[in-house]
Amino acid sequence: MDVEFVEADDAQWKEYGALARRAYGQPVPDIARLGPHADRRLALRNGKIVAGGLGLLVPQWFGGRPVPAASLGCGCVAPEERGARLAAHLLQERIHALREKGAVLATLWTASGGYVRRLGWEAPAQVFSWTVATTALKQAGAADTMEITHGDTAQLAQLRERLAGRWNGPWQRQAWWGAWQQEQHPDLATYAFCEPGREPGGVLAVAAERTPSGRQLTVHDLWARDGRTADAMLAFLGRHHARIPTVRFERTGLPPGPLLQHRLAGVRSATAWHPWMLRVLDPVRAVELRGWPTHLDDEITLDLTDADGTGTGRYTLSVGGGRAHLRPGGARSSHSADVTLTGGQFAVWYAGGYRSPAAAALAGLRGEPATLGRLLAATADREPWLADYF
């Protein structure tokens, strides 16, 4: 390709913002907001910017430990340049720059799920936006016994960090995160919830927004230590029923289903959003850095293949004492591996996205049900949830 890939300077990045506005058909404010914190890559043809995107080196929690990850966003190709695989080449360049800085995972949100699947990404979980009648939330209990205070604090940041480790995928939020969110949502208000005499056990961030039919509350952050705290947070939202008819849990504002969805009796609509896509850039290093259940002691041979079943690589996964190692090769190299899976399926397994051997088999993993169950036991102790939409 007659294209040069470069790291953008400030002037080029501003020019890229204008290109992105033309390509998206609307302004993309995060290009300017996140640019100072990101690796900014551009594709130039004869000195002219024809594509670009940014990458954030942000650790994500997996197995209770932060793993260095490249979070990719704000990417586009000039409309007149589309169709020549320029996006795929630029993705490779963006990832390469962040791998050199330590990233072993890559994550993104995209409407082009099929396209990035062919490049090695897969979706560990579905993502929904829930709209609930405010009056339905009045039924939740425990609110009267909770102390509710307004304002974000360092103590709440520490609480979020502790709760994030209970899931697979949340960002380890960086110093710039709070200011970025406030720029996106100027009316964002944060509340802490705690039992009398105890430290906070819940964090709720909401913004009142206008809709064609009036006003609604939009929940951007909901972190609860337990079900009682979650009930109190929902009841607090229900108190707005006199002037706000609906509450919207935006994209990833609501944790995965088992914690809260059965409490949302008044759901008016559930809208599917683009799922977050995960790719494991370095399987050996990613396994080493992740957290693992301390009670497991097992060894399983894996064949990792390309999406079309070619390019098989044999590995041995050893788990024990809260650590794991993935070593190239296997003791039974002349026989079939215990489990065969693609790189995308490996990413879903890594994130705890398979909840049963039957689900894994339907997704295409090959192995005996008992062996699949052993493999899933290593990562299914936490559910996948990327709580920050970027």
Side-chain angles (χ1 to χ4, degrees):
M1 299 178 66
D2 184 24
V3 174
E4 178 187 9
F5 299 99
V6 300
E7 184 174 5
D9 60 29
D10 291 344
Q12 288 173 317
W13 195 241
K14 186 175 181 179
E15 185 179 344
Y16 173 68
L19 167 63
R21 179 169 186 160
R22 177 164 63 89
Y24 279 95
Q26 63 185 38
V28 187
D30 277 348
I31 288 177
R33 290 172 179 158
L34 293 176
H37 315 293
D39 181 271
R40 309 176 299 186
R41 295 286 152 174
L42 299 174
L44 308 180
R45 189 188 300 280
N46 298 322
K48 179 183 176 182
I49 298 172
V50 295
L54 59 77
L56 299 158
L57 186 62
V58 181
Q60 290 179 257
W61 290 95
F62 287 94
R65 298 181 66 192
V67 180
S71 295
L72 306 177
C74 300
C76 76
V77 176
E80 65 273 17
E81 292 282 346
R82 292 171 183 166
R85 292 187 54 82
L86 184 55
H89 287 285
L90 183 59
L91 272 175
Q92 292 176 354
E93 292 293 328
R94 293 162 69 189
I95 289 172
H96 177 73
L98 291 168
R99 286 194 69 171
E100 290 188 331
K101 297 178 181 179
V104 298
L105 308 173
T107 187
L108 50 77
W109 301 87
T110 179
S112 305
Y115 179 74
V116 298
R117 278 188 175 94
R118 293 192 293 272
L119 299 177
W121 272 269
E122 191 50 85
Q126 290 181 290
V127 174
F128 292 93
S129 178
W130 302 86
T131 300
V132 182
T134 311
T135 53
L137 300 178
K138 292 174 59 181
Q139 305 302 317
D144 294 339
T145 65
M146 287 276 180
E147 293 179 352
I148 305 172
T149 57
H150 170 255
D152 208 351
T153 64
Q155 187 181 32
L156 295 187
Q158 294 169 3
L159 173 64
R160 286 192 201 94
E161 192 86 343
R162 291 196 300 272
L163 296 179
R166 295 182 176 185
W167 309 90
N168 288 328
W171 274 7
Q172 187 178 51
R173 293 181 177 175
Q174 305 298 288
W176 47 261
W177 187 91
W180 167 55
Q181 285 293 291
Q182 205 67 53
E183 284 185 47
Q184 285 188 306
H185 313 291
D187 298 324
L188 191 69
T190 301
Y191 298 91
F193 292 74
C194 63
E195 299 277 5
R198 297 187 61 187
E199 292 185 350
V203 184
L204 179 68
V206 298
E209 299 177 355
R210 293 193 178 277
T211 70
S213 59
R215 292 177 66 82
Q216 72 176 9
L217 282 182
T218 300
V219 177
H220 296 279
D221 236 1
L222 194 155
W223 299 88
R225 179 172 53 202
D226 50 38
R228 180 176 173 82
T229 304
D231 281 344
M233 297 163 78
L234 296 178
F236 170 79
L237 294 169
R239 291 174 179 172
H240 296 76
H241 69 94
R243 61 186 182 86
I244 296 181
T246 59
V247 176
R248 182 179 178 86
F249 295 87
E250 183 67 286
R251 297 188 182 105
T252 55
L254 189 68
L259 178 63
L260 291 174
Q261 285 175 16
H262 68 282
R263 291 175 165 84
L264 303 183
V267 171
R268 291 194 175 182
S269 66
T271 304
W273 287 92
H274 312 315
W276 65 281
M277 308 290 284
L278 179 68
R279 176 178 166 187
V280 180
L281 304 175
D282 184 341
V284 172
R285 186 70 175 142
V287 164
E288 179 183 339
L289 293 174
R290 191 191 191 283
W292 301 88
T294 57
H295 65 279
L296 288 185
D297 186 2
D298 205 350
E299 185 172 285
I300 302 173
T301 56
L302 307 176
D303 273 351
L304 291 183
T305 73
D306 297 334
D308 59 1
T310 63
T312 301
R314 175 67 56 87
Y315 294 86
T316 298
L317 173 70
S318 303
V319 184
R323 298 281 180 172
H325 300 280
L326 189 68
R327 298 182 178 87
R332 290 166 284 179
S333 58
S334 62
H335 302 281
S336 298
D338 295 323
V339 178
T340 300
L341 67 170
T342 67
Q345 292 164 347
F346 185 90
V348 175
W349 164 76
Y350 186 90
Y354 299 123
R355 309 310 297 171
S356 70
L362 283 173
L365 277 72
R366 300 199 302 273
E368 293 296 324
T371 308
L372 291 177
R374 288 163 49 203
L375 181 66
L376 268 55
T379 61
D381 58 328
R382 290 169 169 83
E383 288 190 73
W385 178 35
L386 181 51
D388 297 319
Y389 190 91
F390 59 92

